[in-house]
């Protein structure tokens, strides 16, 4: 069992580019947490065609001694293929700092940067910043919220807000519903609102790989879009050889809620 813990810790450490022995020790003590994920999505813009996307993300959070404060760094890459031809490469990097609130939730602040290269048609980028919180309302329910602003090359400045409710049907099965809203100051104040339903199931508490999937509906200034998505995730946390999905997503885990701006405009046109 001890060798298995070291192996899992070293795999996560090497995959995230850190010093494996030191980080594996932190993981075994519960000081480090991280995830590695990869997935696919299809978005259909009504009357405008579809977009297929493949990509992955890595997250790592490290506690600052006994302060109860954690710093998290995220990074991701996605490849988009557009119906009728053309593709794009999207990169993102984010940093967050957060603290536990009496072991009943988390509060924090975030900053993010993303760029997208429409191959052969130029590129664009954006920055975002905001505050967020999670409240573990009960053993089975988590409520989360966020709000902030952004500056983008194409759309200028704006603000975003969102909320999510998650219910753990079982310790290793979570179902969630979320809403994301963004207001763009340019263009007379266009808005986007997204509604998302999703689920995640942890296959094994000892070799923590989960599968998640769901559906999202977007209203973008009168343009409608549907997105279906599926992904696999490997959890690098828990401090022990076995931990439930609830435990891996709460106190010892990385942020289980996307604390930056959500929605398709944020993904494709910033």
């Amino acid at each position: 069992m001890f060798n298995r813990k070291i192996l899992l810790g070293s795999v996560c450490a090497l995959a995230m580019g850190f010093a494996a022995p030191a980080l594996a020790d932190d993981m075994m003590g519960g000081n480090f947490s991280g995830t590695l994920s990869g997935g696919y999505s299809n978005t259909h813009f009504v009357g405008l065609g579809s977009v297929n996307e493949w990509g992955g993300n890595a997250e790592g959070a490290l506690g600052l001694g006994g302060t109860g404060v954690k710093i998290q760094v995220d990074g991701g890459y996605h490849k988009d293929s557009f119906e009728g031809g053309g593709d794009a490469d999207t990169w993102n990097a984010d940093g967050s700092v957060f603290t536990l609130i009496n072991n009943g939730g988390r509060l924090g602040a975030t900053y993010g940067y993303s760029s997208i290269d429409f191959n052969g048609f130029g590129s664009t980028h954006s920055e975002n910043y905001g505050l967020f919180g999670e409240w573990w309302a009960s053993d089975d329910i988590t409520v989360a919220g966020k709000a902030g602003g952004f500056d983008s090359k194409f759309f200028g400045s704006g603000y975003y807000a969102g909320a999510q409710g998650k219910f753990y049907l079982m310790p290793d099965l979570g179902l969630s519903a979320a809403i994301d809203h963004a207001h763009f100051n340019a263009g007379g104040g266009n808005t986007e609102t997204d509604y998302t339903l999703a689920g995640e199931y942890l296959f094994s508490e000892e070799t923590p790989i989960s599968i998640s999937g769901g559906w999202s509906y977007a209203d973008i200034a009168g343009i409608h879009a549907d997105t279906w998505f599926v992904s696999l995730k490997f959890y690098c946390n828990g401090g022990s050889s076995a931990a439930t999905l609830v435990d891996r997503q709460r106190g010892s885990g990385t942020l289980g809620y996307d604390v930056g701006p959500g929605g398709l405009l944020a993904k494709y046109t910033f």
Side-chain angles (χ1 to χ4, degrees):
M1 188 66 68
F2 178 76
N3 290 336
R4 183 172 188 163
K5 290 167 61 179
I6 293 180
L7 176 61
L8 289 175
S10 298
V11 168
C12 290
L14 287 170
M16 294 186 178
F18 297 103
L23 189 50
D25 289 343
D26 280 337
M27 291 180 62
M28 290 170 62
N31 196 37
F32 174 83
S33 55
T35 66
L36 300 169
S37 62
Y40 165 79
S41 70
N42 175 270
T43 299
H44 176 67
F45 294 89
V46 177
L48 298 175
S50 299
V51 181
N52 292 300
E53 179 180 273
W54 297 89
N57 296 280
E59 304 173 331
L62 190 64
L64 301 181
T67 65
V69 175
K70 274 192 171 185
I71 294 176
Q72 179 169 318
V73 177
D74 310 336
Y77 166 77
H78 293 83
K79 183 76 170 183
D80 299 284
S81 298
F82 301 96
E83 183 180 350
D87 56 59
D89 297 290
T90 303
W91 299 86
N92 70 278
D94 312 278
S96 303
V97 57
F98 58 94
T99 183
L100 294 176
I101 306 300
N102 296 325
N103 289 323
R106 295 184 278 212
L107 286 175
T110 187
Y111 169 82
Y113 177 89
S114 62
S115 67
I116 182 168
D117 182 10
F118 297 95
N119 296 318
F121 296 94
S123 61
T124 184
H125 62 270
S126 70
E127 297 176 86
N128 64 81
Y129 40 87
L131 302 174
F132 60 88
E134 285 183 332
W135 175 43
W136 305 326
S138 70
D139 291 342
D140 303 323
I141 298 174
T142 296
V143 179
K146 61 185 176 182
F150 56 79
D151 293 293
S152 63
K153 180 179 177 181
F154 281 176
F155 284 89
S157 61
Y159 63 84
Y160 69 91
Q164 182 191 71
K166 180 176 288 186
F167 175 68
Y168 292 96
L169 193 62
M170 300 185 296
D172 291 324
L173 174 62
L175 307 176
S176 64
I179 182 172
D180 285 282
H181 179 79
H183 177 91
F184 302 86
N185 295 330
N190 288 320
T191 63
E192 175 184 357
T193 304
D194 296 70
Y195 308 89
T196 303
L197 299 174
E200 181 176 1
Y201 175 68
L202 187 71
F203 289 111
S204 168
E205 295 178 4
E206 294 189 352
T207 305
I209 297 175
S210 73
I211 185 170
S212 60
W215 167 81
S216 181
Y217 170 81
D219 182 345
I220 310 168
I223 298 173
H224 299 159
D226 292 282
T227 299
W228 296 93
F229 55 89
V230 62
S231 67
L232 291 174
K233 180 179 289 186
F234 179 54
Y235 284 89
C236 309
N237 70 315
S240 67
S241 60
T244 67
L245 182 65
V246 177
D247 292 336
R248 292 183 184 280
Q249 292 186 338
R250 289 187 170 181
S252 69
T254 57
L255 298 168
Y257 179 48
D258 181 2
V259 298
L264 296 171
L265 280 179
K267 178 185 289 185
Y268 292 118
T269 58
F270 272 8

